[in-house]
Amino acid sequence: MMGQVTATDVGQRLRAFEDEEYFSYSKEELLPGCLALYEKERAEGTELPAIIGLLRDHVEREEERLRVEQEERYKSLREEDRIAREQRLLSGADCKWTQLQKSPHWYCRANGRTYRLSPTKDKMWNLYRVSSVSEEDQGALIGKYRGRADATKVISQMAYKPEW
């Protein structure tokens, strides 16, 4: 078993951590698990360098687990949001741009009027005034735009003017 740890031991070990390619700051939620692991290993007589390596491995595994959990929560929230927007559109309520299932078209409704953006071969978007969210509904072509933002500007004006 090792003797007393000196200030030089600690200083050199900290410098070695900082000099490594990847150095990240600890997450507070990992502290209890690290302390429990440290105390268990110290009680078994494990030397400090081995404990440090064990803790590093533990933190890497836990950070990966937390990252995966966060990614899954994010995907789940995005899917819930997509379904809510889709149901809003299908129920006839005004809504922002929404893509139904895996359709290439985007729909929005403003002031009770439905609009569809359809991609073109030249990476532009055709904007149509449609009566339903069916892809068979040809609708009236309003114009060709670079993106949803440009079409949204047109709709924000057009939706409140009398229909032609």
Side-chain angles (χ1 to χ4, degrees):
M1 194 159 141
M2 286 180 50
Q4 191 78 18
V5 177
T6 67
T8 304
D9 292 329
V10 174
Q12 288 302 309
R13 193 64 193 143
L14 286 174
R15 184 169 175 205
F17 278 134
E18 291 168 357
D19 289 345
E20 288 180 10
E21 284 182 34
Y22 177 70
F23 181 75
S24 67
Y25 295 97
S26 62
K27 291 184 166 71
E28 285 297 316
E29 65 262 29
L30 301 181
L31 187 60
C34 288
L35 284 174
L37 188 59
Y38 170 80
E39 291 185 11
K40 173 187 164 278
E41 292 297 324
R42 279 309 269 185
E44 291 176 2
T46 307
E47 292 189 359
L48 193 58
I51 294 174
I52 290 171
L54 185 65
L55 287 172
R56 182 183 300 149
D57 293 344
H58 171 75
V59 167
E60 284 176 7
R61 281 191 309 274
E62 288 299 297
E63 285 178 340
E64 178 64 16
R65 181 186 61 78
L66 291 172
R67 186 192 64 74
V68 167
E69 285 176 6
Q70 182 179 10
E71 191 175 295
E72 287 171 358
R73 275 193 311 273
Y74 176 73
K75 285 179 181 177
S76 173
L77 288 173
R78 278 191 52 150
E79 182 62 15
E80 288 172 17
D81 182 54
R82 184 194 67 75
I83 290 169
R85 282 184 287 123
E86 199 172 282
Q87 289 179 350
R88 193 170 164 78
L89 175 69
L90 294 172
S91 72
D94 282 5
C95 60
K96 295 184 181 194
W97 291 111
T98 303
Q99 200 172 19
L100 293 176
Q101 301 296 333
K102 301 292 179 188
S103 169
H105 308 286
W106 289 79
Y107 297 89
C108 92
R109 189 171 291 117
N111 197 25
R113 300 177 188 171
T114 307
Y115 300 90
R116 182 183 70 221
L117 265 181
S118 299
T120 64
K121 290 180 175 144
D122 58 354
K123 297 187 180 185
M124 300 283 280
W125 295 87
N126 283 335
L127 176 64
Y128 298 91
R129 168 71 172 94
V130 293
S131 56
S132 72
V133 292
S134 167
E135 290 190 25
E136 286 79 40
D137 185 349
Q138 291 300 310
L141 178 64
I142 296 170
K144 193 174 195 175
Y145 302 94
R146 273 182 275 172
R148 285 188 301 189
D150 295 335
T152 302
K153 288 176 191 171
V154 170
I155 290 172
S156 68
Q157 300 293 314
M158 187 176 214
Y160 300 96
K161 292 184 178 175
E163 292 245 51
W164 18 273

